[in-house]
Amino acid sequence: MHAEDILLVPARILNEYVYCPRLAYLEWVQGEFRENVDVVEGKLEHRRVDEERGELPTPEEADPERPVAARSVLLSSDRLGIIARIDLIEGEGNRVSPVDYKRGRAPDLPEGAWEADRVQVCAQALLLRENGYRCDEGVVYYCESRRRVAVPVTEELTTRCLAVAEEVRRMAREGTIPPPLVNSPKCIRCSLAPICLPDEVSLLRGAVGEEDVRRIFPARDDAAPLYLQTQGLSVGIRGERVEIREGGSLMRDARLLDISQVSLFGNIQITTQAVRAFLDRGIPVCYFSMGGWFQGWSQGLVHKNVELRRLQYARAADPEARLALARRFVAGKIRNSRTLLRRNHAGDPAAALAELARLAEAAEKAANLETLLGLEGAAARTYFAHFGELLQGGDPGCRTFDFNGRSRRPPTDPVNAVLSFLYSVLAKELTVTTMTVGFDPLMGFYHQPRYGRPALALDLMEEFRPLIAESTVLTLINRKEIGSSDFLRRGNAWALTENGRKAVLRAYERRMDDLVTHPRFGYQVSYRRVLEVQARLLGRVLTGEIPEYVAFETR
């Protein structure tokens, strides 16, 4: 944020700062926002006062005998450096009071209102004075208890309010995010807790122990991805529902709020209205070829966290800093590959396990990216040399799932066809995740920028390839959820049929929804949620809050 942009501090940010300085920074400087139940309920309570109604006469024109009641009024003052949209201004003539609506109950305090609320309504009262009105007190209305609390605008409260405004401007100028609250009950109901990660950051900063880490956000997302791959489908919107049609006939519909992202495979039509509805709600639309190649995406306005992208570009331009992150990505991938092999191999591939352990250690100390690439390649050869031994066969008597190593373009056997499809879907997943966090998905640290390639998504994907993509392959084949009829062969190239892709996506979504114990934080979350946690931790590394990136490695 530039200095000229921070002259006017919103009064609600003063409230947030008093409640939690880190929350104010996340909301105002980094532009973070996320709804939870409290936020939605607060919006509902505000509906009546969010609509601009009533007249506010100028102080000079005000009739002292005439009552004033004006809703949703925007006032500002360059001298105070504060701006506010006041819920309700009431009074008579030019003697008025701001009324601020709060969704909760009035606290049992001598002052009758929380300090954060008193500071906010004081700022509104000062703005009214600055605009020529007489204002001696504000009012906080607590909706749940239906109670009005008068807040006198004392000299002490005014001094506190102006000091908070200056602290907020200083915080933004310095561009340093305040540390998280430690073991605070405030975090439990904070809508930004999944973004802030207060306990996780405190642990990695050494401020608390592992026993102090709480999972203060849902283990799973309520919304789910929508995959469409039947050629000829069309996607439209009616009100708050998404309609999927084939030949004009309604095949399926779903609520917008139940959808987290949309993936379209091949020739599926989507209306402009539907795209706009998705983008308005922050739902990305991802496009794949008919064969499952991830081709691109549509997204709404770019995330407001410019600060994070500036740090990302700076880190990517620093060879030593890039290498430090790349080492962690690759070492995490090798260790998770080793774990998958150890857990699922019927025999004892001791030599391969020892070699993978050695390569992971070597990756942590690689002198440059070229050496790291070589170590990753050696680890992949060792791992995939034994990957086929984890497969228990598909159709009886059929050698469909013989596997003799990794092949990419094109996949030369069914196992490679499934692997390639899953890597493409996982790359899409991490592209969406990195955009959600505020990164530029095209600028990586290990993978080099190349036109259209989501290099950062591929970086973060490394440690999850064995845990999500390759684990899903084992499930599909060993549980016989996929068979030889789910593949097409053209020459030496193999690809999934439409039914085959459906089976793979079902298994993939089950895997993403699986709860897994985070090895560092000790709580259980879904794999999809883990991806976001890891991306946000990477962001904390870039801002300097935590010293180094910790890869997600299962035990």
Side-chain angles (χ1 to χ4, degrees):
M1 180 175 289
H2 298 293
E4 59 268 24
D5 298 325
I6 61 174
L7 290 174
L8 299 179
V9 182
R12 65 176 178 79
I13 294 299
L14 304 185
N15 183 311
E16 308 287 21
Y17 185 86
V18 173
Y19 185 81
C20 169
R22 186 177 174 88
L23 173 62
Y25 189 92
L26 288 169
E27 280 200 7
W28 193 43
V29 179
Q30 297 193 341
E32 299 285 5
F33 177 77
R34 181 169 288 195
E35 287 187 339
N36 66 1
V37 172
D38 289 347
V39 172
V40 173
E41 287 182 359
K43 282 184 177 179
L44 292 174
E45 297 287 359
H46 264 88
R47 278 181 305 179
R48 207 158 52 94
V49 289
D50 282 345
E51 184 181 350
E52 293 185 1
R53 292 174 56 189
E55 292 184 5
L56 179 65
T58 63
E60 298 76 19
E61 297 172 343
D63 181 347
E65 303 297 325
R66 186 173 181 181
V68 172
R71 300 180 187 278
S72 190
V73 179
L74 183 65
L75 293 178
S76 67
S77 164
D78 289 343
R79 191 183 73 82
L80 297 177
I82 298 173
I83 187 171
R85 184 169 289 281
I86 302 174
D87 292 341
L88 172 64
I89 297 173
E90 62 180 18
E92 291 182 346
N94 70 348
R95 181 184 288 275
V96 293
S97 297
V99 182
D100 197 66
Y101 280 58
K102 300 296 180 190
R103 62 167 291 278
R105 298 182 62 81
D108 184 16
L109 295 172
E111 299 86 354
W114 300 108
E115 186 198 16
D117 298 340
R118 290 188 292 115
V119 166
Q120 181 178 358
V121 82
C122 176
Q124 297 172 354
L126 295 179
L127 286 175
L128 284 166
R129 287 181 180 176
E130 281 291 296
N131 283 271
Y133 299 94
R134 296 179 62 186
C135 181
D136 300 321
E137 70 172 25
V139 175
V140 180
Y141 178 69
Y142 289 98
C143 298
E144 190 173 336
S145 49
R146 298 179 180 276
R147 181 178 168 192
R148 291 168 60 98
V149 176
V151 178
V153 183
T154 62
E155 186 174 338
E156 180 184 7
L157 182 59
T158 299
T159 301
R160 170 68 172 147
C161 175
L162 296 178
V164 170
E166 182 51 37
E167 288 172 21
V168 171
R169 279 190 287 273
R170 178 187 51 77
M171 173 186 74
R173 278 196 304 271
E174 293 177 354
T176 303
I177 186 171
L181 302 178
V182 175
N183 290 330
S184 173
K186 293 179 179 178
C187 302
I188 301 295
R189 300 187 69 169
C190 177
S191 66
L192 295 192
I195 296 171
C196 171
L197 298 176
D199 292 356
E200 294 84 345
V201 171
S202 294
L203 174 68
L204 297 175
R205 289 162 58 96
V208 301
E210 292 185 0
E211 68 280 4
D212 296 316
V213 177
R214 305 160 293 177
R215 181 176 61 75
I216 52 180
F217 49 84
R220 295 184 171 97
D221 295 325
D222 292 331
L226 173 66
Y227 296 97
L228 296 172
Q229 59 170 335
T230 301
Q231 302 306 290
L233 289 179
S234 63
V235 183
I237 194 83
R238 183 179 293 273
E240 291 296 308
R241 300 191 74 84
V242 179
E243 293 187 340
I244 298 136
R245 296 178 178 275
E246 184 173 22
S249 301
L250 181 65
M251 305 300 293
R252 177 183 171 191
D253 68 342
R255 297 187 303 175
L256 267 171
L257 60 83
D258 290 332
I259 298 173
S260 62
Q261 51 182 270
V262 178
S263 293
L264 307 178
F265 291 77
N267 298 318
I268 294 173
Q269 308 301 314
I270 181 167
T271 66
T272 303
Q273 292 88 339
V275 172
R276 194 164 58 230
F278 288 133
L279 301 189
D280 281 348
R281 289 159 180 79
I283 301 171
V285 182
C286 301
Y287 306 96
F288 293 79
S289 68
M290 278 194 286
W293 185 255
F294 179 38
Q295 296 177 306
W297 63 90
S298 297
Q299 68 171 100
L301 295 174
V302 177
H303 195 289
K304 297 176 183 175
N305 195 348
V306 178
E307 176 193 24
L308 180 61
R309 290 191 288 281
R310 290 173 63 190
L311 293 169
Q312 179 188 358
Y313 299 141
R315 181 66 69 103
D318 181 337
E320 284 300 317
R322 279 176 53 199
L323 179 60
L325 288 172
R327 288 184 187 127
R328 292 304 176 98
F329 299 143
V330 174
K333 174 188 178 180
I334 297 174
R335 291 198 179 98
N336 284 335
S337 298
R338 182 179 183 275
T339 300
L340 192 78
L341 198 60
R342 175 174 56 79
R343 284 183 179 176
N344 294 279
H345 200 286
D348 181 21
L353 296 179
E355 177 65 0
L356 290 172
R358 185 190 72 78
L359 290 168
E361 289 298 313
E364 293 277 17
K365 302 169 186 170
N368 51 55
L369 286 180
E370 291 71 24
T371 301
L372 196 57
L373 277 168
L375 293 168
E376 186 200 1
R381 285 191 293 277
T382 301
Y383 169 66
F384 280 116
H386 293 274
F387 187 75
E389 297 161 12
L390 311 183
L391 304 173
Q392 297 168 11
D395 299 343
C398 176
R399 302 190 62 183
T400 298
F401 299 114
D402 285 353
F403 180 76
N404 296 306
R406 185 79 179 102
S407 61
R408 294 176 177 80
R409 298 180 182 177
T412 55
D413 59 65
V415 177
N416 273 297
V418 179
L419 282 171
S420 292
F421 181 68
L422 283 167
Y423 292 150
S424 184
V425 175
L426 188 54
K428 175 269 303 179
E429 197 81 44
L430 278 155
T431 299
V432 169
T433 301
T434 52
M435 287 192 299
T436 301
V437 171
F439 285 113
D440 178 349
L442 303 183
M443 178 59 78
F445 304 107
Y446 178 49
H447 292 82
Q448 302 304 299
R450 198 167 67 197
Y451 181 79
R453 181 167 80 162
L456 182 62
L458 296 174
D459 283 355
L460 282 168
M461 180 172 148
E462 293 293 359
E463 65 207 64
F464 293 103
R465 285 176 185 258
L467 303 178
I468 295 176
E470 290 139 30
S471 178
T472 301
V473 171
L474 298 186
T475 298
L476 280 161
I477 295 175
N478 294 347
R479 293 184 182 176
K480 298 180 173 51
E481 295 180 13
I482 197 166
S484 55
S485 62
D486 292 312
F487 296 90
L488 294 170
R489 181 176 185 177
R490 293 189 177 89
N492 287 326
W494 287 77
L496 285 156
T497 64
E498 181 179 323
N499 284 335
R501 287 195 297 271
K502 285 180 180 177
V504 173
L505 288 172
R506 282 195 298 270
Y508 170 80
E509 279 302 314
R510 287 202 308 272
R511 185 61 175 167
M512 294 300 286
D513 202 44
D514 277 350
L515 293 183
V516 57
T517 301
H518 197 291
R520 195 73 178 86
F521 306 135
Y523 53 59
Q524 285 200 318
V525 285
S526 70
Y527 270 107
R528 180 164 278 118
R529 189 72 88 178
V530 167
L531 299 184
E532 182 179 341
V533 169
Q534 291 301 111
R536 293 201 180 279
L537 291 180
L538 176 61
R540 301 296 176 227
V541 174
L542 300 191
T543 57
E545 274 201 275
I546 55 178
E548 58 188 8
Y549 179 72
V550 180
F552 183 89
E553 297 175 6
T554 55
R555 296 167 180 167

